[in-house]
Amino acid sequence: MARATAKIRLYVTAELSAGASVALDRDQARYLFSVMRLVVGDDVLLFNGADGEWRARIIAARKKDGVLEAVEQTKVHMSPPDLWLMFAPIKKARTDFIAEKATEMGARRVMPVFTRHTNSDRVNAERLAAHCVEAAEQCGLVAVPDVLAPQTLEKVLADWPGDRRLMFCDETAVGGDAAEALRRAGGDKWGILIGPEGGFSADEITRLRALPFATPVSLGPRILRADTAAVAALTIWQATLGDWA
Ligand code: SAM
């Protein structure tokens, strides 16, 4: 009888189906066998972002690797709504926070974007992706957002797909009901854009406001820090057009 350890969740890249064998890498083996002290015969939950969640049994447990076997599906796959979170990178810990919260709040894609006043010119997309995986493991999600390499705002807007709307979080907007503006615009493919600590430049604001696919919104009468603004915007979008609605 397997010990009741199946609350431990692990993101893997292997395909998952009944009987599928999943090889663990060094970090995963260290986590399961050294940190969590699991042994052969124990169960864990696996997901890979495509095949739902599976209960899997430990077949081999070694210091540097291990093997699991998928036993039964415990959740079917569910993609989050088609929502991108674009944000200008800020300090490392706050940028990590944004990636983590975007995952928890159900963004499908996380995109660091360089704007005129962005004052952090280095973003480690791999580190952000690792934060997204960790958040998905902890929150019972079966999908992990894609994390894109940073791009300039220019490039993001030049490549903007014709069928997607943009929730432009405009700190200079006064009043207005953000939820009502989103509802009026409608649609199910969106991107949220959050500016840097220094805000958007006047040129960027003029340009963004004039885009036919953009919905400028205010997040209330107070200026929020960028990480708070990201969570607030995700909340309004999810409650209005997303999977809370
Ligand atoms: N330096 C700017 C200022 O003082 O006006 C503040 C920028 S704010 C710290 C960072 C980003 O969060 C903004 O560019 C915007 O995208 C978003 N944001 C913060 N407060 C907001 C609000 N009340 N309405 C809309 N967006 C907001």
Side-chain angles (χ1 to χ4, degrees):
M1 179 85 165
R3 280 199 296 159
T5 50
K7 287 219 167 67
I8 296 170
R9 302 182 81 244
L10 210 57
Y11 172 79
V12 293
T13 50
E15 276 182 28
L16 295 172
S17 58
S21 168
V22 178
L24 298 178
D25 66 24
R26 199 188 181 107
D27 287 345
Q28 292 168 329
R30 199 184 65 80
Y31 172 66
L32 289 189
F33 310 137
S34 302
V35 180
M36 302 312 293
R37 305 264 167 209
L38 302 193
V39 296
V40 168
D42 286 344
D43 284 355
V44 296
L45 296 171
L46 302 180
F47 64 106
N48 62 5
D51 299 321
E53 179 191 80
W54 285 75
R55 185 168 64 80
R57 184 141 307 159
I58 299 171
I59 302 297
R62 291 177 289 264
K63 251 189 174 165
K64 295 181 184 167
D65 59 22
V67 180
L68 306 181
E69 185 181 294
V71 178
E72 62 169 351
Q73 194 178 42
T74 44
K75 276 185 196 170
V76 294
H77 179 69
M78 246 182 65
S79 288
D82 196 347
L83 177 64
W84 300 351
L85 178 69
M86 294 168 291
F87 64 96
I90 42 178
K91 286 192 188 117
K92 187 165 157 280
R94 289 180 181 274
T95 300
D96 292 348
F97 174 92
I98 292 177
E100 180 185 292
K101 298 309 155 201
T103 309
E104 290 177 39
M105 299 289 293
R108 195 179 285 192
R109 179 174 282 187
V110 170
M111 297 170 64
V113 170
F114 292 130
T115 63
R116 180 84 180 277
H117 297 320
T118 301
N119 44 18
S120 167
D121 56 359
R122 266 185 300 170
V123 186
N124 183 336
E126 259 178 44
R127 201 191 63 235
L128 290 187
H131 278 285
C132 292
V133 165
E134 208 174 300
E137 286 174 344
Q138 283 176 13
C139 294
L141 304 177
V142 292
V144 183
D146 299 328
V147 178
L148 266 53
Q151 301 174 63
T152 61
L153 181 59
E154 273 304 301
K155 169 108 177 80
V156 168
L157 296 179
D159 295 344
W160 195 258
D163 60 349
R164 186 172 294 273
R165 293 207 58 88
L166 176 66
M167 176 179 179
F168 161 41
C169 296
D170 178 357
E171 69 270 22
T172 63
V174 182
D177 180 339
E180 181 50 32
L182 294 179
R183 218 172 280 121
R184 262 202 315 272
D188 56 3
K189 292 183 180 173
W190 280 77
I192 292 173
L193 177 63
I194 305 288
E197 288 304 341
F200 291 103
S201 71
D203 287 355
E204 285 170 338
I205 290 175
T206 307
R207 166 134 196 246
L208 285 161
R209 282 187 177 173
L211 294 171
F213 52 82
T215 302
V217 297
S218 162
L219 299 175
R222 289 162 291 275
I223 298 290
L224 308 175
R225 296 193 77 139
D227 45 344
T228 315
V231 177
L234 285 159
T235 306
I236 296 171
W237 191 90
Q238 282 288 26
T240 309
L241 296 174
D243 58 13
W244 303 5

